[in-house]
Structure formats: C-alpha cells, structure tokens
Amino acid sequence: MEQKNLDALIWKTHTLYPGPQSAELDNDFQKATAKAMDFRERYRGKVASLDGAGLLQALKEYEELEELIVKPQLYAHLLFAADSEDEVNKRLSQKAAEFGNQMSREVLFFDLEIIQLEEPAFSALAADERLANYRHYMESQRKFRPHMLPEREETLLKQKSLTGTEAFSRLFDEISASFRYKLELEGEEQELTGEELLGLLHHPQASVRERAFTIFLKRHEEQAIVFSTVFNTVALDHGQDQELRSYRHSMEPTNLGNEIPAEVVNRLMSVSEANYPLAQEYFRIKAKLLKMDKLKNTDVYAPLGETDKRYTFDEARDLALAAYGRFSPDFRDMAAAFFHEGRVDALPRPGKSGGAFCMGMTPALSPYVLLNFTGNLRDVATIAHELGHGIHFTLAQRQTMVNYHAPLPLAETASVFGEMLLTRHLLEEESDPQVKIALLCAQIEDIIATTFRQNVLTRFEERMHLERQNGLLTATRLCELWWEENARLFGDSVEMIDAYRWGWSYISHFIHARFYCYSYTFAELLVLSLYQRYLSEGEAFIPVYREILASGGSRSPADTVRSAGIDLSAPDFWQNGYDVLRDLVENLKQLIKP
C-alpha cells in the first residue's frame, strides 16, 4: 500500500497538540496544576456553606477545570494506544498518569463534600432550579455515601494506586502490545500482530483458524506468571477495596455507578443463562452449514458464502456510512466527519493497542476512533460499531462535562444499534439467498457474542473475585474457571480447543474496568427493543432515539429509556430481547430449508 494511503489510515492528533514535546502541552500541564490548587484553596471545607448560586458557580468552575485536566491525559492515551513502544509516548503516558492521579487528589474534596452534605441541606440544593442541570450528578454521587472514606484515606488510596493496580494495568497493556506472532500462511512464514492473528478466526479454512488462535493463546500461556499475577493483583485490590468500603459483594460498586439495581443485573444474567440452549441450537445449525459434525470454538465465526470476501478500507467505510445514511442523513454526516477530520486510526501495526475503541473526549473536543482493520466482514461491523459510539459522543456534546459520558449500561447502545443498521443495509442490498444466509448468520453471531459471551465473561469475573477472597488463584485455577463458564454456554454443541483454557488472559476489560462486560449484554437486549420500535415507527422513532443519545449521563439509564416506552424493571423485558434472537434463528432455518 502506498504511503499516502497508509497515512490516511492513521489519525491526526495535531488539532489537540502540535506534538508530544510541544510547549502547548507542557503549558496545559502547568496551567491545570495551578488552577487545581487554586480551586482547592478557594473551596475546600466550604461546600457545605454555599447557597445555590455559590454551588452553581463552583460546579461550573469544576467542570472547566476537569476539561483542562483531562485534555493532556486523553492526548497521551491516544499516542500510547497508537504506539506503546515509542519511548516518547511511553514517557508521556506515564507523566499523564501521574499528573491525572495528582489532579484527582487535589479536587477529590469537592465530590466528597457534596456527598457528605447533611440531608436537609442537600435536599434544599437539589430542589434549587438553578442547579437543575447538576441534580442527577449530585444524586448519583450521593449513592456512594455509605462507602466513602475520609478525604485523607481517599487521597492515600488514590496516590498508592499509581504503584498498584494502575501499574499492573500498564504492564498488561505493554506486554500485550509487544507480542509478535509467526504463522505459516500460503507456504510463507509471516509475522503478525495479535489483531491480525485474531482476524484469521474469519478465515475460510478451519485449519488456519485453529492454528492462528492456538498460536495466539500459547503466546499468552508463555507469560502465565505475569498474567496470573496481574489478574490476582487486580482481584485482590478490588477485594480489599470492597472490605474497606463495606460493599456487600464485588459487583456492588459497578452497579451503583451504573445506577442499576442488583436485582435487575441478576435477572439479566439469569435470563441470559436460561437462553444458552438457543445459542447451542444455532451452533448446531452452523455446523451443518459448514458440513461439520460439530463446531470447534475456532469455527464459530467461520465465513459462509460470500462473507469470506475481503473489503478495502474505503469499501468498508462506505458501507458503514451508507447504513447510517439510510437511517438519518445527520447520523451519516456525524460519522463521516471522523474520516474527513482524520480522527480514525485503522492500520494494524506493531506496538498498537489491540481491539477497537472510540475515545470520547469532552463537550468541546471531538472523539477519536481506533480500529485494527484487516478486511473481513467483522471489521466492517466494527467500523459501524465504533462510529455508533462516535455519534453518541457527538450528540452528547450538548451536555456539560459532568453529564457528558453516558452510564456504562447505555454506553454500548449506539454502537450495537449501528451494527443492526449495517446488517439491515447489507441484507436489503443483497438478492442472493446464500449470501442472505451468510449475513443472517453474521447478525446472529454478533448478538450471541454481545449477549451470551459477555455473560460468560461476567460470570468468570464474578467467580474470580469471589474465589480470590479465599487466597491466591493459580494460573491453572483461572484456566479452570474460564473453561467451566464457557462450557456452560457451549454445552455439547461446540468443542473447545485445549489452548482456549487461556482465553481469559487477553481480555483487557477484566483489567481496566470491573464488570464492564455485562453492559454489552444490557445494551444488546435494549437495542433489540429499540430496533423493534424503529421498524414499527419508522422516522417518528428517530427524534426519540436521538434524544436518548444526546442525554449523555444527565439521567439514570431507566429514566433515559423511559421516553422510548421501555421499562427496565419489567419482568419480561430481557426475555423479549432473546425472543427477537429466536425469531432470527427461525428465519435462518426457513432460509436453509431444502
């Protein structure tokens, strides 16, 4: 590929700062430090004495300060994600981490003093219309009141995290990004990144799929000591935090932050498990389509028919944009801006973070998207997925800083909805029945991956944290937990390759965010409901959906989706989503009838 084309696949970060050693970046580090110290000097110990007007002014200053603090950190994260082996990027990333830690300690008092307000005083402030924009933010912070420690202890815990879990998270990222893999392909030995190797799970040859995944997992097994130590440290730290803060169970802080009652999460997971046989039914159908007696887990995403075709990046981008354009021209324009403005990094290369993400910045700064594009259909869906995040962040820019980020249960809504739009676009453009079968299979597999597989991940994580409370988890035990939870999903419909025991070791969500994975299951089932509304209401649904995304984090998840007529506490809500999946499986069975 020509250098010009390669450059088009790498994001441009100069709109944030001219470079990692620029004076502008250094000035922002210094300016933010000075402003944080000034904010602390003027407001520490005084929040309880502020009236509505005074607290409003303090909150606005706090948001301005947060935007200033986060900009250099986000810039450093983008550079490090693009190339974690570059020495300048490494130093800047560590500097940004230490800076962020210091700044959070400087302003920690502010949230703590809001949390510690006596109930009569807080109720009066919450009722003040001047603070209406901040009411949800303050109420969501207050939910942590029984679990907060005094400022001194909170500050010490934050400070020590730099040499604790944050250091282990960084180690995990650097080791994972440093891996190189050698694979003989078409008679030639090739050196591949992890993302390129995982991309071969979509290869048409079963032997290539199994060999690629085995090589990937065996490389992780070679670092068993490191990965098991990282996982144990993260789990031990979480357990100690749980004890210090008097949480009743390991998922409670995540549920509080997500504003989702534990009973709703438990129902989500139990309903998912009750529907595992539906996934197993599909896996048996897929085996017949592939003319296999039984799938191996390396065959689950094997291509059918035309879906083994390769896409250029331009083709993949245009398909995703066309799908959004059929939904709404405005949505297409928001998605297209990522490419026009150089805010997409799609080229796999050594040192680059694996997977894909959309980095929401601030209400004043446009989001960025990282991809690892290898040219298969799954990569086309990933573009639609991450652009969905981007549209969500773009619409939420009408919010102020504390309300900008959607809560985790809604964070995957726009991304999953985008994938549904893409699948519909591909199916409607296609006339070949065999290709329609392949596309329908791809959609079903996406739903299975985003619901059932994420439920498996959540159950593994839950068991890991629970067992770690009783002592060290060996690498062998982690492998056993992983194997057992995956076996519950696959049943006798899929044979797991032996190397898959190490499948837990490369899942970054386990390291970076406790119990993030159930948000995918939540979002997929929510999106199936929203998508059904769209199909029945057409264009009338678009303003409702747009408002859900534009609300950012200004309301709880339940309040946000209530406008679309959705009740998250309804006993049959989660099952309704799986009923949609069942209908898709039935449609597939009709298509493949002889």
Side-chain angles (χ1 to χ4, degrees), residues 166-236:
E166 290 182 31
F168 280 93
S169 296
R170 183 183 179 87
L171 175 64
F172 176 88
D173 290 343
E174 290 198 40
I175 287 182
S176 300
S178 72
F179 285 166
R180 303 288 180 273
Y181 307 87
K182 290 186 177 180
L183 174 71
E184 186 176 312
L185 200 58
E186 298 176 355
E188 179 183 346
E189 186 175 78
Q190 300 183 21
E191 183 173 277
L192 304 172
T193 66
E195 287 302 314
E196 290 170 327
L197 207 58
L198 289 175
L200 292 174
L201 286 172
H202 302 270
H203 195 278
Q205 293 181 26
S207 60
V208 172
R209 296 193 296 269
E210 184 171 350
R211 199 151 37 91
F213 201 30
T214 299
I215 289 171
F216 178 82
L217 293 166
K218 287 290 187 182
R219 186 72 178 88
H220 286 72
E221 182 183 4
E222 292 170 8
Q223 294 290 337
I225 293 174
V226 174
F227 286 126
S228 62
T229 299
V230 169
F231 275 67
N232 269 278
T233 301
V234 167
L236 177 60

Side-chain angles (χ1 to χ4, degrees), residues 494-564:
V494 174
E495 176 188 344
M496 293 183 284
I497 63 171
D498 190 64
Y500 193 55
R501 296 179 188 278
W502 295 90
W504 54 272
S505 63
Y506 72 93
I507 309 297
S508 62
H509 285 320
F510 295 150
I511 305 303
H512 295 301
R514 303 296 77 75
F515 299 103
Y516 185 94
C517 294
Y518 81 66
S519 64
Y520 286 103
T521 310
F522 186 109
E524 180 71 58
L525 297 177
L526 172 60
V527 163
L528 290 173
S529 293
L530 291 172
Y531 192 72
Q532 289 299 105
R533 290 285 304 275
Y534 168 54
L535 293 181
S536 64
E537 297 177 14
E539 289 190 7
F541 171 80
I542 296 175
V544 176
Y545 178 64
R546 186 186 184 99
E547 179 60 27
I548 288 174
L549 302 187
S551 67
S554 62
R555 300 194 294 267
S556 71
D559 289 341
T560 301
V561 300
R562 192 171 287 118
S563 62

